Amino acid sequence: MPKPLLAILLAALTALPLAAESGELRVEVVASGLDHPWGLAFIGDGRMLVSERPGRLRVITADGKVGTPVDGLPAVEVTGQGGLLDVVADRDFARNRMIYFCYAEPAALGRGNSTALASARLSADARRLEKVTTIFRQTPKISSRLHFGCRIVEADDGKLFLTLGERGSRMADAQKLDNHHGKIVRIGKDGSVPADNPFVNRPGALPEIWSYGHRNSQGATLGPDGRLWMHEHGPQGGDEINRPEPGKNYGWPVITYGENYGGGAIGDGLTGKAGMEQPLHYWVPSIAPSGMTFVRSERYGKAWRGSLLVGSLKFDYLARLEMDGSRVVREEKLLTGLRQRVRDVREGPDGTIYLLTDEGKGQLLKLVAD
């Protein structure tokens, strides 16, 4: 069937030319009318799983057909920045049909919520989730609408990394190891704690913790070096790119290149302190980063290969960061006329770059090289 007139008009409005070393690039609309889409995963045959923050998971075909919500999700608390957030497919999805998703989980009794991570099997007809198991819960649960983090990365060894925000009002918790606020955790696919996690044998420390001193990470990916990379929101300024290493402290809220909303130093106003890691790159003013991926193919020209792509929620663009090892040497702003919040960016199996825009009528977009 032909696309609805609205979709055609949206596609025309979004077909923005982009200057690049590889020639002209266009943005094409794959699907529209998504309700605050958040995460994107590839499940074969050109199909994609897209999460919508209000608590829906949908399959979208290569030609843009949006499926009905997948059945079987657990209870999701939709509040503020929380809801159904990231989703990834197991790298062996073609054989096991396993996916992992994270979400704001309500407390069983009383008020409160926290980020949780679940595994599930997508049914053969892709209409429902089977064997849904919550494999990790952030503790403690508190009453907050902010800073859920919630990006998932599967490492080369099959372990899962999950980014966790410090929930806004509990920023001091990011420096303490007896809670999961402001941390990155590393677990097995069954929720087990790897024996080589850095705090397994430290009294008073939660064994799932990989690194700490983070604020709120909404982007994470494996780098060409096979290591975890992530970015995290600063307050007013000070968004950071980090490459978290086991057991290391990334400083929040003791050190930051940002300041309080409305102005004024955070804590003692420090940007560095012994025992705390410096970011690889930071933004002042904040761009409110979300989603990130490395470009591994040459679909967009040789100059793009190895670039780090980061979406901006605040300024509605896609940043392409040219890298020299772990150092950012140049930033190019793309899609500056998009006028939509870029929530996620992923490289597909064939090297195509896909974006999700976080709007009430959000879109799934792809970059096309002519």
Side-chain angles (χ1 to χ4, degrees):
M1 293 181 64
K3 290 184 177 180
L5 178 59
L6 177 59
I8 294 172
L9 291 173
L10 286 170
L13 290 171
T14 316
L16 303 173
L18 303 172
E21 289 83 350
S22 57
E24 288 297 312
L25 297 178
R26 292 180 291 107
V27 179
E28 288 189 359
V29 177
V30 178
S32 297
L34 301 170
D35 192 352
H36 295 283
W38 215 94
L40 171 66
F42 303 97
I43 58 172
D45 298 325
R47 296 175 303 162
M48 291 158 275
L49 275 177
V50 171
S51 60
E52 294 176 308
R53 185 163 49 81
R56 291 178 292 272
L57 186 65
R58 299 182 187 272
V59 175
I60 300 178
T61 61
D63 61 359
K65 182 180 179 181
V66 179
T68 58
V70 175
D71 290 332
L73 285 170
V76 175
E77 182 160 328
V78 181
T79 178
Q81 298 171 357
L84 181 61
L85 303 176
D86 204 13
V87 59
V88 301
D90 190 285
R91 63 164 42 99
D92 201 15
F93 177 86
R95 181 185 64 83
N96 62 26
R97 301 192 63 80
M98 293 298 293
I99 68 167
Y100 309 93
F101 58 93
C102 57
Y103 59 102
E105 181 185 56
L109 298 172
R111 300 174 61 190
N113 54 54
S114 69
T115 299
L117 174 62
S119 65
R121 182 182 183 277
L122 184 66
S123 65
D125 61 8
R127 293 182 178 181
R128 64 189 182 280
L129 299 181
E130 303 169 340
K131 299 182 179 180
V132 178
T133 305
T134 300
I135 60 175
F136 172 82
R137 290 180 169 93
Q138 181 186 38
T139 59
K141 282 182 164 56
I142 66 168
S143 294
S144 176
R145 296 163 50 87
L146 303 174
H147 298 186
F148 291 86
C150 213
R151 285 293 180 191
I152 310 163
V153 174
E154 181 182 353
D156 289 337
D157 64 2
K159 301 298 189 295
L160 299 177
F161 289 105
L162 175 66
T163 71
L164 298 168
E166 34 70 288
R167 310 310 312 280
S169 63
R170 299 289 288 265
M171 63 183 184
D173 281 1
Q175 288 296 313
K176 302 172 185 177
L177 297 174
D178 62 352
N179 67 83
H180 294 126
H181 295 155
K183 311 299 193 297
I184 293 176
V185 296
R186 175 177 178 254
I187 61 172
K189 292 177 181 177
D190 59 356
S192 60
V193 176
D196 59 347
N197 269 10
F199 298 111
V200 164
N201 296 314
R202 181 178 294 191
L206 297 181
E208 300 89 356
I209 296 173
W210 176 259
S211 60
Y212 65 109
H214 301 290
R215 186 170 182 265
N216 185 31
S217 176
Q218 296 180 15
T221 189
L222 285 187
D225 54 6
R227 296 165 65 180
L228 177 69
W229 291 62
M230 55 86 81
H231 61 59
E232 55 192 282
H233 285 226
Q236 187 168 278
D239 299 338
E240 298 180 358
I241 294 176
N242 287 301
R243 190 170 57 182
E245 297 183 13
K248 291 194 175 181
N249 180 353
Y250 289 81
W252 177 256
V254 179
I255 63 172
T256 178
Y257 288 89
E259 61 181 9
N260 281 309
Y261 295 108
I266 293 173
D268 293 329
L270 301 177
T271 56
K273 188 173 182 177
M276 297 183 178
E277 304 302 309
Q278 284 290 304
L280 302 179
H281 182 73
Y282 65 90
W283 285 273
V284 175
S286 292
I287 68 167
S290 191
M292 68 188 300
T293 193
F294 278 94
V295 180
R296 301 177 185 274
S297 78
E298 293 186 4
R299 176 174 286 271
Y300 305 96
K302 291 183 179 180
W304 274 49
R305 187 173 183 181
S307 296
L308 181 61
L309 302 180
V310 176
S312 170
L313 295 167
K314 183 176 181 180
F315 295 119
D316 303 345
Y317 68 76
L318 179 67
R320 183 177 74 88
L321 306 179
E322 293 183 4
M323 308 297 298
D324 180 6
S326 62
R327 188 169 64 93
V328 176
V329 296
R330 177 174 175 259
E331 179 174 352
E332 181 182 13
K333 296 178 182 178
L334 304 171
L335 280 66
T336 53
L338 186 60
R339 297 181 182 177
Q340 297 186 72
R341 289 156 50 90
V342 178
R343 172 59 71 182
D344 201 9
V345 53
R346 308 271 178 155
E347 184 181 60
D350 66 351
T352 299
I353 301 300
Y354 291 86
L355 310 174
L356 289 176
T357 63
D358 186 0
E359 305 287 339
K361 294 183 179 179
Q363 297 180 319
L364 170 61
L365 309 173
K366 67 178 179 181
L367 298 187
V368 179
D370 288 330

